[in-house]
Amino acid sequence: MILDEKVLNPPPPNTKAPSPSIEWRTFSALPPHLLLQVVYATFSEAYDIEEQRKTLYWLAISLRLVNRPFYTTSMNVLRSVYLPAYNSLIRPSFTSDPFPRLNSHWSMRASLFSSVQRETVTLDLFIALKVREDVWSDDSELHLERHESFADLFNLMQPRSRLEDLVRDYGVVEGLVYVDKRPPGQRTPASSKSTRFTITPLPFSALSAAFSSRRVGLVLTTPGSKRTVVEVARTRDEQLEVAARRLVWALRDCLVDEADGVL
């Protein structure tokens, strides 16, 4: 029988590879998905609804203020918990979309600091108010919830911020509004003229909406000035999408007139 010497050779000595140096990291330096699981566990392990509300209150007024990773994680939890309550208070004629369209609602990669979605701020204000009212109601039966605070949010701030987001969406598509960097002037025909003009789009950061039950408008704020650019009438129960489209059409006419030297 022929034996292969390679097979008969003893195995190499069982030497233990040197262990890599341990890199001490802070708790907030955990990978985002792990940090989210840890923070969410502090809420989900609460044994009753009052304990859960206290934990959510702690997330809102303490943990999220520690640093950016904790802010991002805490707001992911708070927004996911309170979004149903927020949506339930939207007026029937209005719509809502408080999250950037290009990101997942709960994605840890979404930038919570640079979001251009104006309604996100309204949702966060609702959360700040709701967590406090819930805990105070649990602590004392004498506490009276301030309904007028919620009314201000959903009668004015929510529709106004939603309208601004819609104007941004429609305006960017039409080349009338830009978000990050100004694009080249757009060659566009005037609605009632045969000639063409180059219009200059407006920065969304400088635009805000004026909102009332009868009228809506766009206000342009620049260093040293603030003026209403366009204003249109609306009915009390008109859809926000309808009002936003008419504002964008009016803005288009205004920018064309400016390019033509009418204004």
Side-chain angles (χ1 to χ4, degrees):
M1 183 173 62
I2 300 176
L3 300 178
D4 189 346
E5 291 183 359
K6 293 181 180 181
V7 176
L8 295 177
N9 287 337
N14 187 19
T15 57
K16 185 177 181 181
S19 59
S21 59
I22 299 176
E23 180 184 356
W24 293 101
R25 307 182 69 180
T26 62
F27 181 65
S28 61
L30 286 171
H33 68 284
L34 293 180
L35 186 60
L36 178 60
Q37 291 182 20
V38 172
V39 173
Y40 187 79
T42 64
F43 157 72
S44 61
E45 293 297 322
Y47 60 87
D48 61 21
I49 187 63
E50 290 188 9
E51 189 67 23
Q52 287 183 349
R53 287 174 173 172
K54 288 180 180 179
T55 302
L56 292 169
Y57 183 75
W58 170 72
L59 291 179
I61 69 167
S62 298
L63 186 63
R64 74 183 182 96
L65 303 180
V66 173
N67 54 31
R68 284 199 172 198
F70 278 125
Y71 177 88
T72 303
T73 306
S74 299
M75 293 310 299
N76 268 275
V77 174
L78 289 166
R79 289 171 180 172
S80 65
V81 170
Y82 284 102
L83 181 62
Y86 175 84
N87 284 335
S88 69
L89 295 174
I90 302 295
R91 288 182 53 184
S93 61
F94 299 151
T95 56
S96 173
D97 182 16
F99 297 98
R101 295 174 181 271
L102 298 181
N103 294 309
S104 169
H105 283 190
W106 318 123
S107 172
M108 292 294 290
R109 294 173 295 178
S111 174
L112 299 178
F113 294 89
S114 60
S115 170
V116 296
Q117 202 82 353
R118 301 274 177 92
E119 195 186 353
T120 305
V121 177
T122 304
L123 171 61
D124 291 347
L125 289 174
F126 168 76
I127 292 172
L129 178 61
K130 183 64 174 172
V131 293
R132 185 190 66 183
E133 292 295 315
D134 286 347
V135 170
W136 287 5
S137 297
D138 291 338
D139 287 343
S140 174
E141 295 181 355
L142 300 178
H143 175 69
L144 299 177
E145 191 175 77
R146 296 189 297 178
H147 296 283
E148 68 278 3
S149 299
F150 292 101
D152 290 341
L153 275 173
F154 292 96
N155 290 338
L156 177 60
M157 297 185 68
Q158 188 277 328
R160 183 174 61 192
S161 59
R162 172 61 171 155
L163 181 67
E164 290 172 346
D165 290 335
L166 289 168
V167 167
R168 182 199 68 228
D169 290 344
Y170 301 154
V172 167
V173 171
E174 295 292 330
L176 308 175
V177 176
Y178 67 92
V179 176
D180 297 319
K181 185 168 59 175
R182 189 175 76 181
Q186 182 191 22
R187 298 282 296 178
T188 181
S191 58
S192 59
K193 304 179 179 67
S194 59
T195 57
R196 298 173 67 89
F197 304 95
T198 300
I199 63 173
T200 302
L202 300 178
F204 177 66
S205 59
L207 291 174
S208 59
F211 181 88
S212 70
S213 61
R214 298 300 182 187
R215 302 192 69 81
V216 291
L218 285 179
V219 178
L220 178 65
T221 301
T222 56
S225 70
K226 184 176 183 179
R227 65 187 178 94
T228 299
V229 181
V230 292
E231 189 176 47
V232 297
R234 68 175 292 266
T235 61
R236 181 177 296 273
D237 296 323
E238 184 178 71
Q239 292 286 333
L240 293 175
E241 285 79 0
V242 175
R245 289 191 184 279
R246 288 197 287 108
L247 274 176
V248 169
W249 294 337
L251 178 62
R252 182 185 181 90
D253 290 342
C254 176
L255 293 180
V256 166
D257 287 341
E258 286 185 346
D260 189 27
V262 175
L263 299 180

